[in-house]
Amino acid sequence: MPTSETPSQKPTIALALGDAAGIGGELAVKILSDKEVLESARLIVIGDRRQLEAAAAMLGTEFDLPDCEPETVAPVALLDLGNIDPASVTPGEASEHTGAAALENFAAALRLCAADGADAVAFTPFNKYAMRLARPDYVDEIGFINAVTGATKDGREFNVLDEFWNARVTSHIPLSQVAERITEERVLASIELTDNTMRNAGFTRPRIAVAALNPHAGDGGNFGHEDDREIAPAVTRAKEKQISVEGPLPSDTVYLRAHKGEFDAVLSMYHDQGQIAMKLIGFDRGVTLIGGYPFWIATPAHGTAYDIAGQGIANPNATKRALLLAARLARQGELVPADATSMSSAIAKATGEKLTVVP
């Protein structure tokens, strides 16, 4: 992106700090000094200043981040929620208060974007167990986004490696429940959503491969009937709607074909079917992208890395790619105004409602 742009001409990304017991603070500090990221977007970091200062001290990095003020469009600013004291955090240990702080940060970022204070949302890794300790009804990001923004239609998670995408028919459910959820209508809806989301992301006509559920795509019914009875008819109907789609294709080879460039995306039937393949292909650069809402939401595809928290060795590459992708996608829409009045209103909406973390 051209370096001559002022902050007000760039997309604004609300970057929520993730779990304080993980590597989120470290990743944020490292990203805040990345020239390519700062050339691509304006950042509003949302969380506790003390979390960032602790990470900067651990890294031996100077830290001087201005507060987010409506009247001043700074390249990087902090919306300080003051919600987590690093002294109360044990690195690598999930807890209710780290989960609560992460939820509050995410909620504020979503509200800021929904109120036209930012163009996209990003976040450093969450820990779902910690978030459930704070909010027992928490299942995943999709349900939480719906609850915070009042969305009436679910978004969908995509995994992105460079220009290669992975989508899912089912996601955060037990494996024992997957087969019963693979219906013709659900598969067709997932194909259509994948096609539409990728077109919104700049693909002219994305080439989608649909992974089979069963070994060898069911082998003519020898290994299950879902592929023939549910998936194949959905693919046929999608083709009739002029979607470029093939399948069901055996899942043990479809990712190899896609990785070689034969397809732009693979639609998997369940969470780990796609996640394992994508993380093997590019763990250190994978991005989880949430589409289907008025704004894009991106995060590194890896987790909180409790095992290396506090050691200063976290790789920021996937976080960087998440922010660059969010900035690129945001530019394809109309950027929000950065005037003082609209920003003041957006900040008030983002921070004015205290999140109830325990129902």
Side-chain angles (χ1 to χ4, degrees):
M1 295 299 174
T3 58
S4 60
E5 285 185 316
T6 65
S8 61
Q9 295 172 316
K10 301 174 182 178
T12 299
I13 299 177
L15 175 60
L17 296 182
D19 192 277
I23 59 173
E26 176 186 343
L27 293 173
V29 170
K30 289 178 176 178
I31 246 17
L32 294 180
S33 62
D34 188 283
K35 183 178 179 181
E36 188 176 1
V37 170
L38 299 182
E39 288 178 344
S40 298
R42 176 194 178 214
L43 301 181
I44 298 178
V45 185
I46 299 176
D48 195 310
R49 179 178 293 275
R50 294 170 295 178
Q51 183 181 349
L52 291 171
E53 289 176 341
M58 182 263 295
L59 293 168
T61 302
E62 292 186 6
F63 181 82
D64 183 19
L65 196 60
D67 289 324
C68 183
E69 300 289 350
E71 299 81 8
T72 305
V73 183
V76 184
L78 172 67
L79 199 57
D80 187 3
L81 301 187
N83 55 6
I84 188 78
D85 182 355
S88 68
V89 176
T90 301
E93 184 176 300
S95 65
E96 179 182 332
H97 63 288
T98 60
L103 285 167
E104 289 176 350
N105 298 343
F106 191 32
L110 293 170
R111 293 191 186 110
L112 185 70
C113 213
D116 290 337
D119 300 288
V121 170
F123 57 91
T124 58
F126 295 150
N127 182 277
K128 286 184 173 58
Y129 175 66
M131 296 165 97
R132 289 190 187 105
L133 289 176
R135 186 183 177 109
D137 66 347
Y138 181 89
V139 175
D140 59 17
E141 285 76 18
I142 299 297
F144 188 74
I145 295 165
N146 293 346
V148 170
T149 65
T152 57
K153 187 175 181 180
D154 286 353
R156 190 67 61 90
E157 282 189 0
F158 299 87
N159 303 109
V160 180
L161 280 173
D162 306 320
E163 295 301 316
F164 171 35
W165 289 45
N166 178 73
R168 312 170 198 159
V169 175
T170 68
S171 190
H172 298 112
I173 64 171
L175 190 59
S176 61
Q177 297 177 14
V178 169
E180 66 189 50
R181 304 284 184 95
I182 304 303
T183 65
E184 181 180 335
E185 295 302 325
R186 189 184 294 270
V187 174
L188 176 62
S190 298
I191 295 171
E192 292 176 324
L193 179 59
T194 301
D195 180 70
N196 183 62
T197 303
M198 294 184 72
R199 287 176 184 270
N200 289 339
F203 287 83
T204 302
R205 191 167 184 254
R207 301 164 299 162
I208 302 168
V210 177
L213 174 66
N214 297 301
H216 308 296
D219 191 36
N222 287 324
F223 307 138
H225 297 284
E226 293 85 1
D227 297 287
D228 293 334
R229 294 178 180 175
E230 307 294 342
I231 301 175
V235 171
T236 298
R237 289 171 63 187
K239 288 181 177 180
E240 292 170 351
K241 297 186 177 189
Q242 305 306 309
I243 296 175
S244 177
V245 60
E246 292 186 32
L249 302 175
S251 60
D252 58 356
T253 56
V254 68
Y255 285 92
L256 290 173
R257 294 173 62 180
H259 185 48
K260 291 178 180 178
E262 192 172 340
F263 304 106
D264 300 306
V266 174
L267 176 64
S268 62
M269 294 298 111
Y270 57 92
H271 184 279
D272 284 4
Q273 184 182 44
Q275 286 285 70
I276 292 172
M278 296 294 281
K279 290 184 178 182
L280 281 171
I281 294 169
F283 180 78
D284 63 348
R285 67 182 196 276
V287 174
T288 296
L289 180 70
I290 301 176
Y293 296 106
F295 48 86
W296 297 96
I297 303 166
T299 187
H302 61 71
T304 48
Y306 277 170
D307 57 323
I308 61 169
Q311 298 180 33
I313 60 174
N315 186 340
N317 190 36
T319 302
K320 174 179 177 176
R321 287 174 178 266
L323 288 167
L324 293 177
L325 178 61
R328 177 168 66 86
L329 295 177
R331 281 181 179 274
Q332 296 180 10
E334 183 177 348
L335 300 184
V336 300
D339 61 273
T341 301
S342 60
M343 276 304 300
S344 179
S345 175
I347 291 172
K349 291 178 180 177
T351 60
E353 182 179 347
K354 186 70 173 178
L355 181 71
T356 301
V357 294
V358 180

